[in-house]
């Protein structure tokens, strides 16, 4: 948000004296675009690792099976093209439907400056069987082109076949966050 972009014409007139000669150069102008500094935020969500049910072996994230623990990470950054800092961003996510998860549904770890909003309610996420997550940031502003700020990581465990919590259907599941 901010004032619309404006253009300012900046001109320079120059006079130089060298010995008996005077040199004049008038009306050297350039148009300068003025804009209100603005952030250019981006967000990414990734699976950082998948841990087998044995709790020891890891494997690629494209082959998740019942009993696996899936570790997610969400990061926020401010593009190098931004003209201002990113201040107090808010991140929301809908953790996978609980039909595919084992209780406890998830473990959340926030990073300095980020806090989970435990009062957040997203009816669409809940209707889909997911767990709504909302995080607010109150740390130092994120500068343009600076390193991404990891918001939080969370872990979910898929349900094993036969568990009372539900059954994880085999197939490919897209990460839609």
């Amino acid at each position: 948000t901010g004032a619309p972009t404006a253009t300012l014409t900046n001109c320079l007139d120059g006079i130089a004296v060298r010995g008996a000669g005077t040199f004049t150069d008038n009306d050297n102008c350039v148009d300068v675009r003025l804009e209100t500094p603005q952030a250019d935020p981006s967000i990414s969500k990734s699976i950082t690792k998948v841990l087998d049910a044995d709790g020891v072996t890891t494997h690629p994230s494209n082959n998740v099976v019942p009993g696996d623990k899936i570790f997610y990470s969400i990061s926020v950054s401010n593009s190098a093209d931004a003209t201002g800092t990113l201040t107090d961003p808010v991140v929301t996510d809908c953790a996978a439907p609980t039909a595919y998860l084992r209780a406890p549904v998830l473990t959340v770890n926030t990073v300095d400056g980020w806090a989970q909003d435990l009062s957040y309610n997203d009816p669409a996420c809940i209707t889909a069987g997911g767990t709504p997550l909302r995080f607010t940031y109150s740390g130092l502003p994120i500068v343009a082109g600076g390193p991404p700020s990891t918001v939080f990581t969370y872990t979910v465990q898929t349900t094993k076949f036969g568990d009372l919590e539900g059954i994880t259907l085999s197939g490919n599941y897209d990460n839609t966050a």
Side-chain angles (χ1 to χ4, degrees):
T1 63
T5 302
T7 302
L8 172 70
T9 301
N10 189 2
C11 298
L12 172 69
D13 293 334
I15 299 174
V17 177
R18 184 173 183 195
T22 301
F23 305 93
T24 304
D25 191 7
N26 294 322
D27 296 326
N28 290 308
C29 298
V30 63
D31 289 334
V32 178
R33 186 176 71 165
L34 302 175
E35 64 180 45
T36 302
Q38 295 187 5
D40 185 10
S42 65
I43 188 169
S44 66
K45 179 179 179 180
S46 61
I47 294 175
T48 57
K49 101 177 145 176
V50 176
L51 191 62
D52 285 347
D54 66 10
V56 177
T57 311
T58 60
H59 62 83
S61 61
N62 60 350
N63 188 24
V64 176
V65 297
D68 287 351
K69 283 188 178 179
I70 307 167
F71 294 77
Y72 291 94
S73 178
I74 294 182
S75 296
V76 172
S77 60
N78 192 13
S79 168
D81 293 335
T83 57
T85 57
L86 178 58
T87 306
D88 300 334
V90 175
V91 173
T92 61
D93 188 25
C94 182
T98 54
Y100 306 122
L101 306 179
R102 146 180 284 207
V105 172
L106 53 92
T107 303
V108 176
N109 298 303
T110 58
V111 177
D112 288 344
W114 290 95
Q116 185 174 5
D117 177 357
L118 297 174
S119 67
Y120 177 65
N121 182 13
D122 179 354
C125 177
I126 293 169
T127 299
T131 301
L133 301 171
R134 182 175 191 260
F135 297 85
T136 57
Y137 181 74
S138 59
L140 295 173
I142 301 169
V143 298
S149 170
T150 299
V151 179
F152 59 94
T153 59
Y154 67 89
T155 306
V156 297
Q157 184 172 13
T158 57
T159 303
K160 294 182 180 181
F161 290 107
D163 280 353
L164 296 177
E165 291 93 355
I167 296 173
T168 301
L169 304 174
S170 61
N172 295 322
Y173 298 94
D174 293 330
N175 179 356
T176 59

